[in-house]
Amino acid sequence: MPTITLNKKVFEKLVGKKLPLEELKDRISMLGTDLEKIEDNEIVVEVFPNRPDLLSEQGFARAFASFIGEKTGLRDYAVKRSGDKVIVDSSVDNIRPFTACAIVKKLKFDEETIREVIQIQEKLHVTFGRNRKKLAIGIYPMEKIKFPITYSAEDPNKIKFKPLEANREMTGLQVLGHHKAGREYGYLLENLDKFPVFRDATGEVLSMPPIINSDLMGKVTEETKEVFIECSGFDFEALNKCLNMIVTALAEMGGEIYSLDLEYPQKNFVTPNLFPDKMKFNLSYANQRLGLDLTEKEAKELLEKMGYGYDQGTVLVPSYRADILHQIDLVEDIAIAYGYENFEEIIPEVATIGAEDKLEKFFRKVRDILVGLKLLEVKNYHLLNEIELNAQMLLDEEIVGLKSSTGDYNHLRNYVLPSLMKNLNENQHNEFPQNIFEIGRTFVSDKGEETGVKEKEHLSVVLCHDQVDFTEIKQILDVLMKSLGLECSVKESKHNSFIPGRVGDIMVGGKKIGVVGELSPEVLTNWDLMVPVVSLELNLEDLFEKVFP
Amino acid sequence: MEIEKKVKNLVAKLHPLERKVLPVLAKEINFSQIVEKSGLQGVEVMRALQWLENKEVLKIISEKKKRVSLDANGKKYSEEGLPERRFLEALSEDFLNLSAVAKKSHLDKEELNACLGLLKRKLAIDIQKEEELMVKLGPQGKILLDKKTPEEDFLNKKFPLDFDSVTDLDKLALDNLLQRKGFVKVEEVKDVSVELTPFGKELVKADLGEDVMGKLTAGLLKTGKWKDKKFREYDVEINVPQINGGKKHFVNEAVDYIKNIWLEMGFQEMKGNYVQSAFWDLDALFVPQDHPAREMQDTFYLSGKAKLPPLWNKVKEVHKTGGETGSKGWGNFSREETEQLLLRTHTTVLSARTISELKEEDLPAKFFAVGKVFRNEALDWKHLFEFYQVEGIVIDPNANLKHLKGYLREFYNKMGFEKVRMRPAHFPYTEPSVEVDVYHPVKKEWVELGGAGIFRPEVVKPLLGFDCPVLAWGQGMGRIISEYWKITDIRDLYKNDLKQLREMKVWLK
């Protein structure tokens, strides 16, 4: 989860109230943010990903001031019209189709505030912007910009500028190959024949989103008083929200917001649009979900504590809130304002009957029988690798692999036995006999299944000690079957993992449900084992059906 | 009186080996002597002595000592006589040639040469050189013939010999012998002896009585012979060798424990596949299709496409526009994305499937799941790529947030936590969402243990057909398992070290 670092003094000034430390801690957690630490003048807060509007000092303080009742209700941010234009060329349609832009003036930057602006930008990139994939933000000093600005997509070889943190001019392609930001985010422009670019009226490049700004045009300094801000990406609505989060944060720093006219090929827009969204609100729905009995006035007050406005059944949702999809989201905010700690605990009288899964219950019986035979239960991951599942077992079976995987664990096991072999391999230093078992899931391809994979619960037992032989494992099988009230026979068969003539199919009621045998010395050698092993593996679901036909 | 009683008690518990060794100890204190007199094996005597030492009967004294023993030549000549004696005995007062001497004395060439030098120095022979060497007894020769040399006396001693017991006179002989190759050797050895304690001295005087019985056998029972004899009393306080029994895996014990809590609370168990479609695992739960958790580095994907159930169209609509739920939706939905196959990332997928199978008349209903879930993580001390998750849902048209808090308290009370706290949180499929803290009775602080909430209408309506509160809560199991068994490296849960599994205590909660 993303965190933001707040300067306690700045924060208190923004909130307009200084709370005792304990209360501050408590209120921060009850607002729905996780307090990571408070140290000296630094407050570190974890913000849930649904609230990107809290990812700035200003945004967080705004929500907090409302929550503690210091400054409640909808905030009003004035937007003046600049009359300047941003022209969106149709060439960006299939490249990075949207932008939303604004100007903020009367800013006073110092080292601290510049760092703060960079923090907002970076946090929004990572979270709401899905690492610049969904959207990217550019902020530019106004001094050198001549309007109108154009947003278009161009041949990357024709885009030439000196990017930030570089010492020479580069083409678009060179940026991807040679610039740090290009290497990191270049994949976002991969396979495109044209790259998006912002240019001002003189043709000077402002930036090549979502990669990097121009060093000449896109570097905010302490001298900067006015900035041009653009968000570019694929979801116009999200771009607007993002832009609103930034401009309102800058307004809280003392800036004045100016709109821009966006000329899209088909339609024109004016951004930023800070008008609140309107959402119908049903009080009885909220009361029902929360188990409360709020009056309209109480609900209004609670909504105002969360920064909303309320007017006769309609909630005014701040333009920077990106997480309000349904009135249930308002219900949650009412609950937060009411205080989760203030809800009573009620256990309703609802009679239901508990029931364990039948198969799980059966597994417990099987487990009890085997434990009674002095076997030790182990529990393994369901993932192994191809060598362990096939080559080391002298098998060549179709196994289910993972597309994305971690090192040695990249296939779903088709038998439990290889897991147990791995256990034996890792326990050679421990005392013998090593008689172990596992009840666990196995996976095989099956086109008939919804997912193309059939999952079956298996039991595998291995016995490993110097004197072990086939008789001993068959004795285990016999006790198990007798305990389950089943007649079982072993029919000689062939299996590559076992010594010929010492392996058989486990048959119950004419059906093969498993294999029992003595592992071949070659398999043992493959697993670096110097002690003989006998094993059985059977399908517990088949067995269950035989026990409970 | 006190001592007598102690002696009597001890006698009753003596092991057969101790019984054999004890009488010997009255006279012998040296280990090798005890072995000889007792007629037991060295190891048996040592065991008996150690037991007796534990019982404060004696002290075993182990010292390093120098010991003189015969080497190969020494052994040979102590039987055959020294070569110089045999040489002298072969001579007379007339010159004899050397080959005649050799024949008479049965000495080889090397021995002959050695004798020539040695005896000449002692003036025991006269030598004359002709075609062959001629030898006869010299002035000292006769005297030597009549008297044994100190070396010969020394070799006749009983070996091995305690070096410290060698007299000064013998030392000279020993030194001479040491100069001759392979005669004697002086080694450092460990000498074990015992020293009886005052109690031990009493004990060896005691009457050990008749033979006592060891194990009670079927034979003794059949014949009734046990009636005539006394049983040896055992030292029941002594440690015995360890044995290994069968055992359930400790994680399964914890799983059973949690399952019981749910069953007691009237929940039915849900089970399902590990391989799921993105549709059931994520889309049905209204997780946006661009959610970071869906990325390759966080989730295990499989090749292939899942078959979608008919209700996928409804879910698609909800993602795109909100459908009939009153939501705005996420604005997009891709079939390709929803058909992806993955290893389930949470047990909530089972809740989604369960809800989709319910009808209005089945409500209210409660379900739970305890099952493995998967995340694409590299194994390290605090991360596993598969782990247990526990989750329950209550589908009840009358349920509300207060009920959720009540259920949470009941659930966590059963787990031993008295106080429960709810804090605001965020999960994509619940609204309100709740972080659950419990007051830890040992740590004396609030500890984050689980997540909870009420499913969003965007989740419930398409699955169930109508909107209805669904309370949900769950948690991982790693924390409670690690805490109970004091596991610091989470990989130990599935390390399957057999020694560790054998020796672990069971789940006693």
Side-chain angles (χ1 to χ4, degrees):
Chain A
M1 261 195 314
T3 60
I4 54 159
T5 306
L6 310 169
N7 179 318
K8 193 158 169 260
K9 279 193 198 109
V10 175
F11 176 71
E12 280 164 353
K13 207 178 141 208
L14 285 166
V15 171
K17 193 174 177 184
K18 208 172 157 178
L19 293 181
L21 190 63
E22 281 312 305
E23 199 183 338
L24 182 67
K25 283 183 184 174
D26 176 67
R27 291 295 86 194
I28 289 178
S29 2
M30 290 326 254
L31 173 60
T33 44
D34 257 350
L35 179 67
E36 199 152 275
K37 60 174 183 191
I38 295 188
E39 260 171 21
D40 305 326
N41 195 36
E42 201 178 87
I43 307 175
V44 181
V45 178
E46 258 188 305
V47 174
F48 289 113
N50 62 326
R51 291 297 301 273
D53 60 298
L54 301 183
L55 286 172
S56 66
E57 218 160 43
Q58 293 69 27
F60 190 78
R62 175 173 59 204
F64 192 78
S66 293
F67 182 58
I68 63 167
E70 194 57 28
K71 226 191 233 175
T72 63
L74 195 68
R75 299 279 177 112
D76 194 22
Y77 296 101
V79 181
K80 292 178 186 161
R81 205 181 157 130
S82 74
D84 287 324
K85 275 186 204 164
V86 176
I87 298 159
V88 181
D89 188 81
S90 61
S91 57
V92 294
D93 270 4
N94 296 314
I95 305 288
R96 197 171 178 83
F98 299 108
T99 182
C101 311
I103 290 169
V104 179
K105 296 184 179 175
K106 295 215 171 149
L107 289 164
K108 286 186 203 100
F109 282 126
D110 55 25
E111 212 180 307
E112 170 95 24
T113 42
I114 290 179
R115 202 182 306 126
E116 172 60 18
V117 171
I118 292 170
Q119 167 167 279
I120 300 173
Q121 194 179 349
E122 278 316 303
K123 300 286 176 188
L124 287 174
H125 271 158
V126 173
T127 57
F128 194 52
R130 303 280 190 254
N131 250 328
R132 306 193 188 185
K133 192 167 153 193
K134 186 176 179 183
L135 62 86
I137 304 153
I139 302 177
Y140 315 80
M142 284 278 284
E143 292 97 272
K144 294 178 186 143
I145 297 176
K146 301 272 181 296
F147 281 93
I149 290 171
T150 52
Y151 176 50
S152 61
E154 297 175 19
D155 177 349
N157 287 310
K158 303 229 167 88
I159 302 172
K160 283 187 185 150
F161 66 108
K162 182 182 161 197
L164 287 175
E165 288 152 46
N167 46 20
R168 62 184 170 95
E169 196 180 75
M170 296 181 180
T171 66
L173 277 180
Q174 283 168 338
V175 170
L176 295 206
H178 303 295
H179 194 278
K180 187 170 158 277
R183 284 195 295 269
E184 196 173 346
Y185 299 103
Y187 74 96
L188 296 171
L189 296 180
E190 221 168 33
N191 302 326
L192 294 178
D193 53 354
K194 286 179 176 177
F195 288 2
V197 63
F198 282 95
R199 289 184 192 268
D200 80 348
T202 68
E204 193 61 55
V205 171
L206 300 186
S207 72
M208 185 174 83
I211 313 293
I212 191 92
N213 281 7
S214 147
D215 183 60
L216 177 70
M217 305 295 284
K219 192 176 181 183
V220 174
T221 66
E222 291 181 34
E223 272 77 61
T224 307
K225 302 275 182 283
E226 303 179 351
V227 292
F228 164 68
I229 303 163
E230 51 78 12
C231 299
S232 68
F234 296 89
D235 178 344
F236 191 56
E237 167 106 15
L239 296 177
N240 275 295
K241 296 282 181 205
C242 183
L243 183 67
N244 295 349
M245 291 175 211
I246 298 168
V247 296
T248 56
L250 291 176
E252 298 281 351
M253 284 181 177
E256 279 180 8
I257 306 169
Y258 287 79
S259 68
L260 282 163
D261 295 351
L262 306 186
E263 285 188 14
Y264 278 81
Q266 311 294 338
K267 205 178 168 190
N268 294 348
F269 300 92
V270 177
T271 60
N273 174 3
L274 296 183
F275 289 111
D277 290 338
K278 287 181 182 162
M279 186 174 262
K280 283 265 175 261
F281 177 69
N282 180 338
L283 180 60
S284 66
Y285 175 75
N287 276 331
Q288 211 181 359
R289 281 289 152 123
L290 301 178
L292 296 177
D293 203 6
L294 300 172
T295 62
E296 191 177 9
K297 185 168 169 276
E298 287 166 333
K300 179 174 187 279
E301 279 168 18
L302 292 172
L303 284 163
E304 282 169 356
K305 278 179 92 175
M306 299 306 283
Y308 299 96
Y310 178 83
D311 184 26
Q312 293 178 14
T314 299
V315 173
L316 304 174
V317 181
S319 61
Y320 49 80
R321 286 291 295 262
D323 62 320
I324 309 300
L325 300 176
H326 186 280
Q327 63 163 329
I328 194 69
D329 295 302
L330 305 175
V331 173
E332 181 184 64
D333 272 357
I334 287 175
I336 292 171
Y338 183 83
Y340 276 27
E341 68 278 25
N342 298 322
F343 284 85
E344 321 161 52
E345 296 163 355
I346 295 178
I347 299 170
E349 287 180 31
V350 176
T352 52
I353 293 163
E356 187 177 17
D357 179 84
K358 286 196 183 79
L359 211 50
E360 288 288 317
K361 200 165 166 181
F362 177 62
F363 295 164
R364 283 202 288 118
K365 301 288 175 195
V366 171
R367 187 176 288 133
D368 286 347
I369 295 166
L370 296 173
V371 167
L373 288 166
K374 290 194 179 180
L375 297 170
L376 188 62
E377 188 182 26
V378 294
K379 213 165 161 61
N380 288 288
Y381 303 118
H382 295 85
L383 300 177
L384 283 173
N385 64 47
E386 218 171 344
I387 295 172
E388 290 163 336
L389 290 169
N390 267 334
Q392 296 200 172
M393 301 304 296
L394 301 181
L395 296 177
D396 185 20
E397 305 211 347
E398 193 193 334
I399 47 177
V400 181
L402 300 179
K403 277 206 286 190
S404 50
S405 68
T406 333
D408 282 344
Y409 303 91
N410 45 29
H411 283 80
L412 287 161
R413 66 181 180 188
N414 53 344
Y415 293 104
V416 175
L417 180 58
S419 299
L420 300 185
M421 296 303 285
K422 191 170 179 157
N423 297 144
L424 293 177
N425 165 276
E426 286 166 359
N427 274 287
Q428 289 302 290
H429 58 288
N430 281 324
E431 200 183 323
F432 287 89
Q434 299 185 352
N435 299 341
I436 58 177
F437 75 100
E438 179 174 3
I439 292 171
R441 210 170 286 191
T442 61
F443 306 79
V444 291
S445 291
D446 183 341
K447 294 230 162 55
E449 293 290 312
E450 175 192 296
T451 57
V453 177
K454 174 98 181 148
E455 302 183 18
K456 289 180 290 187
E457 302 276 6
H458 277 203
L459 160 70
S460 185
V461 179
V462 297
L463 310 178
C464 174
H465 61 91
D466 200 33
Q467 303 299 319
V468 84
D469 60 13
F470 186 82
T471 305
E472 205 176 323
I473 189 71
K474 202 171 170 205
Q475 286 170 329
I476 299 273
L477 179 66
D478 287 346
V479 173
L480 176 65
M481 292 302 173
K482 203 173 276 175
S483 305
L484 296 173
L486 293 175
E487 296 256 350
C488 153
S489 63
V490 172
K491 199 174 124 201
E492 194 184 324
S493 65
K494 280 191 181 132
H495 191 297
N496 252 359
S497 306
F498 299 89
I499 299 175
R502 298 189 184 182
V503 53
D505 292 342
I506 302 169
M507 308 294 295
V508 178
K511 184 175 181 179
K512 176 187 169 182
I513 63 159
V515 172
V516 57
E518 197 170 324
L519 281 143
S520 93
E522 205 177 336
V523 170
L524 299 182
T525 313
N526 288 343
W527 286 97
D528 284 329
L529 294 177
M530 293 300 146
V531 185
V533 177
V534 293
S535 81
L536 68 81
E537 172 142 3
L538 50 83
N539 182 329
L540 280 179
E541 294 177 41
D542 288 347
L543 193 63
F544 177 82
E545 274 170 28
K546 294 292 173 193
V547 177
F548 302 100
Chain B
M1 189 62 202
E2 189 67 15
I3 273 211
E4 262 173 53
K5 208 173 154 193
K6 213 171 147 192
V7 167
K8 212 177 137 202
N9 278 343
L10 197 92
V11 166
K13 292 189 178 184
L14 287 174
H15 187 272
L17 289 177
E18 293 172 312
R19 287 183 165 271
K20 285 196 175 138
V21 166
L22 264 180
V24 181
L25 296 181
K27 288 180 196 101
E28 297 294 344
I29 59 158
N30 184 282
F31 179 72
S32 46
Q33 296 300 323
I34 300 168
V35 172
E36 202 183 310
K37 295 271 164 63
S38 65
L40 295 170
Q41 305 267 336
V43 284
E44 291 175 320
V45 172
M46 189 44 82
R47 263 160 69 199
L49 290 177
Q50 280 165 349
W51 293 335
L52 289 168
E53 189 175 38
N54 287 339
K55 293 169 184 167
E56 290 169 2
V57 172
L58 50 82
K59 262 174 80 180
I60 298 172
I61 299 158
S62 176
E63 284 178 324
K64 278 195 176 158
K65 275 194 168 168
K66 274 186 173 174
R67 192 175 70 176
V68 185
S69 58
L70 289 181
D71 212 345
N73 285 340
K75 271 180 202 153
K76 182 180 162 204
Y77 296 128
S78 71
E79 280 162 26
E80 294 173 2
L82 285 174
E84 59 264 36
R85 175 153 305 277
R86 278 152 61 195
F87 192 97
L88 280 178
E89 277 168 356
L91 297 185
S92 66
E93 293 184 26
D94 301 317
F95 280 109
L96 266 175
N97 63 33
L98 200 56
S99 44
V101 176
K103 207 175 164 188
K104 251 175 118 176
S105 64
H106 302 290
L107 292 170
D108 63 28
K109 206 175 167 194
E110 201 182 333
E111 289 169 321
L112 288 173
N113 286 335
C115 290
L116 283 171
L118 181 89
L119 292 172
K120 198 180 163 200
R121 274 201 303 281
K122 291 192 173 176
L123 302 176
I125 51 171
D126 289 337
I127 299 172
Q128 199 174 323
K129 212 167 179 180
E130 289 173 22
E131 265 173 53
E132 205 186 346
L133 277 182
M134 304 292 282
V135 196
K136 68 164 194 174
L137 282 172
Q140 293 294 319
K142 280 184 207 154
I143 302 165
L144 281 178
L145 262 179
D146 292 339
K147 207 181 111 197
K148 283 200 166 166
T149 62
E151 287 82 5
E152 282 172 309
D153 285 337
F154 193 85
L155 286 178
N156 276 332
K157 286 181 187 292
K158 206 173 165 222
F159 291 97
L161 195 65
D162 185 358
F163 182 82
D164 295 332
S165 70
V166 178
T167 60
D168 288 349
L169 194 71
D170 285 342
K171 277 260 166 68
L172 204 67
L174 176 60
D175 286 345
N176 286 337
L177 286 170
L178 280 171
Q179 279 166 24
R180 297 176 73 166
K181 194 179 155 197
F183 271 65
V184 289
K185 52 189 176 187
V186 178
E187 305 161 299
E188 202 157 75
V189 290
K190 218 165 77 177
D191 183 78
V192 176
S193 60
V194 299
E195 186 185 302
L196 291 171
T197 62
F199 171 59
K201 283 176 188 152
E202 293 301 317
L203 185 67
V204 296
K205 283 189 253 161
D207 176 14
L208 300 185
E210 53 183 324
D211 254 8
V212 289
M213 271 187 295
K215 274 193 177 171
L216 176 60
T217 60
L220 288 171
L221 282 167
K222 261 183 209 155
T223 56
K225 275 187 182 159
W226 61 272
K227 288 174 188 158
D228 313 331
K229 288 192 176 180
K230 275 174 81 181
F231 285 100
R232 176 169 75 87
E233 290 177 22
Y234 291 153
D235 180 356
V236 295
E237 293 174 12
I238 209 162
N239 289 333
V240 297
Q242 188 191 305
I243 57 161
N244 300 313
K247 218 177 197 182
K248 279 198 246 182
H249 193 272
F250 64 104
V251 170
N252 282 343
E253 291 197 65
V255 166
D256 282 352
Y257 161 79
I258 290 273
K259 275 169 71 166
N260 262 322
I261 292 179
W262 291 106
L263 293 170
E264 283 169 12
M265 288 174 67
F267 285 67
Q268 286 181 59
E269 186 168 12
M270 304 183 279
K271 253 191 102 175
N273 286 342
Y274 292 167
V275 181
Q276 296 279 356
S277 58
F279 174 78
W280 281 112
D281 193 78
L282 299 160
D283 292 313
L285 290 162
F286 198 56
V287 177
Q289 288 204 329
D290 67 348
H291 196 280
R294 294 190 183 232
E295 282 175 25
M296 277 281 197
Q297 60 263 33
D298 292 308
T299 299
F300 286 124
Y301 285 98
L302 287 80
S303 310
K305 270 190 202 173
K307 294 187 190 112
L308 299 177
L311 76 89
W312 88 274
N313 271 307
K314 280 192 188 170
V315 170
K316 175 179 82 178
E317 241 2 84
V318 173
H319 273 254
K320 280 182 119 165
T321 64
E324 294 162 5
T325 63
S327 170
K328 291 188 193 170
W330 296 116
N332 56 58
F333 191 83
S334 131
R335 180 169 184 158
E336 216 168 68
E337 181 74 34
T338 203
E339 283 174 334
Q340 292 207 79
L341 295 171
L342 46 76
L343 294 184
R344 70 186 189 199
T345 60
H346 48 194
T347 46
T348 318
V349 62
L350 302 177
S351 301
R353 282 179 175 271
T354 302
I355 293 170
S356 77
E357 283 160 16
L358 289 174
K359 295 186 194 72
E360 200 160 356
E361 57 267 30
D362 299 329
L363 307 187
K366 301 174 189 164
F367 295 92
F368 80 96
V370 179
K372 280 279 188 77
V373 301
F374 298 79
R375 301 278 161 85
N376 193 354
E377 302 237 32
L379 284 180
D380 65 33
W381 69 277
K382 56 191 272 196
H383 295 102
L384 296 176
F385 57 73
E386 64 172 82
F387 50 91
Y388 268 100
Q389 212 172 52
V390 178
E391 145 154 351
I393 50 173
V394 176
I395 309 111
D396 176 2
N398 297 313
N400 61 46
L401 193 61
K402 289 179 177 174
H403 296 165
L404 178 62
K405 205 169 177 180
Y407 281 117
L408 287 171
R409 207 210 30 202
E410 183 165 300
F411 179 75
Y412 285 105
N413 279 359
K414 281 182 179 287
M415 277 176 62
F417 301 106
E418 287 214 356
K419 284 194 278 180
V420 177
R421 179 171 82 173
M422 299 199 310
R423 272 188 298 123
H426 168 73
F427 307 107
Y429 37 89
T430 51
E431 196 82 5
S433 298
V434 175
E435 199 90 68
V436 184
D437 296 340
V438 295
Y439 193 75
H440 198 288
V442 181
K443 291 183 183 159
K444 305 262 181 254
E445 61 182 17
W446 290 100
V447 176
E448 192 180 310
L449 210 54
I454 304 178
F455 278 164
R456 295 186 67 97
E458 293 98 322
V459 174
V460 178
K461 200 163 180 198
L463 297 178
L464 190 60
F466 55 96
D467 191 15
C468 169
V470 177
L471 311 180
W473 67 96
Q475 63 167 71
M477 299 232 354
R479 185 165 204 145
I480 58 166
I481 295 177
S482 303
E483 205 172 293
Y484 183 77
W485 278 288
K486 301 191 168 49
I487 290 168
T488 49
D489 185 332
I490 196 81
R491 285 170 296 194
D492 284 358
L493 295 190
Y494 304 109
K495 192 176 163 204
N496 294 308
D497 182 274
L498 301 187
K499 184 171 190 288
Q500 185 195 8
L501 292 180
R502 283 165 176 156
E503 291 175 359
M504 235 170 178
K505 74 167 172 179
V506 299
W507 181 269
L508 294 168
K509 283 207 215 173

